[in-house]
């Protein structure tokens, strides 16, 4: 038989149960923890990082980066930034549960063009932990693609101007010296320098010889005449 006492006891138990449920339901959930990338790993490149593997799932021309949360805590968000080899930056943010793993949400993989440099990183994990940083576990280096520049078109050789026709030097004519007439219109007397000497000597000699011959004939004729008379 349901008595008044039993009713009060049942009511009291229900109230205590509801109070306990309210108390435990109102207790705070485990707090998230903000983490930073381990300081010594900032500036890392995939090829220069000491630990390599091939399990990142990156393409041949990509670098793979494997990040791990401390104490097996689950990543809630992860943001990492890289300097790219050709200039510019890449910032990757993972914030969906499907973005993490495998094998579980304490692991995260990020891909970049090969040759990138890790410059910063931050994350949030779901658990309240004492460690305040996460780490880069290992990398999977790719091979950078080299784009050969097209050969530069060489400029056509400049056309050489034809040699200018050189103007022949002017021949300056020296005016012939004209014999200027002497004052008063009279010509200057000729000197003997222009008379031929050898013919004159010969003619003189012949004249003298002819004179001597004539004189000799005259003397002979006189001598003959005297003998006859």
């Amino acid at each position: 038989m349901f008595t008044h006492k039993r009713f009060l006891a049942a009511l009291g138990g229900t109230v205590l149960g509801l109070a306990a449920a309210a108390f435990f339901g109102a207790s705070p959930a485990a707090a998230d923890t903000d983490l930073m990338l381990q300081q010594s790993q900032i500036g890392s490149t995939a090829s220069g990082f000491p630990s390599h593997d091939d399990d990142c799932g990156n393409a041949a021309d990509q670098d793979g980066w494997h990040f791990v949360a401390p104490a097996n805590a689950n990543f809630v968000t992860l943001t990492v930034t890289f300097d790219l080899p050709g200039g510019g930056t890449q910032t990757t943010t993972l914030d969906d549960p499907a973005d993490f793993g495998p094998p579980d949400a304490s692991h995260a993989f990020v891909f970049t063009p090969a040759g990138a440099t890790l410059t910063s990183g931050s994350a949030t994990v779901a658990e309240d932990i004492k460690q305040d940083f996460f780490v880069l576990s290992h990398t999977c280096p790719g091979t950078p693609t080299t784009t050969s520049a097209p050969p530069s078109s060489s400029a056509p050789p400049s056309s050489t101007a034809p040699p200018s026709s050189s103007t022949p030097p002017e021949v300056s004519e020296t005016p012939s010296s004209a014999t200027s007439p002497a004052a008063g219109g009279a010509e200057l007397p000729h000197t003997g320098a222009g008379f031929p000497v050898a013919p004159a000597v010969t003619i003189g000699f012949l004249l003298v010889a002819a004179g001597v011959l004539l004189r000799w004939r005259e003397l002979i004729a006189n001598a003959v005449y005297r003998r006859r008379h």
Side-chain angles (χ1 to χ4, degrees), residues 87-203:
T89 60
Q90 173 183 318
T91 299
T92 300
T93 298
L94 308 180
D95 55 7
D96 188 283
D99 294 337
F100 302 102
D104 53 45
S106 64
H107 299 261
F109 293 89
V110 175
F111 305 142
T112 65
T117 301
L118 179 62
T119 58
S120 66
S122 60
T124 301
V125 293
E127 289 78 14
D128 183 9
I129 57 177
K130 293 182 179 181
Q131 185 171 319
D132 60 355
F133 63 90
F134 67 101
V135 297
L136 174 63
S137 171
H138 63 268
T139 62
C140 305
T143 302
T145 56
T146 56
T147 304
S148 57
S152 58
S153 57
S154 58
S158 58
S159 58
T160 306
S164 59
S165 58
S166 58
T167 305
E170 296 181 358
V171 179
S172 60
E173 296 182 358
T174 305
S176 60
S177 60
T179 304
S180 60
E187 294 183 359
L188 294 176
H190 295 285
T191 62
F195 188 79
V197 177
V201 172
T202 303
I203 293 172

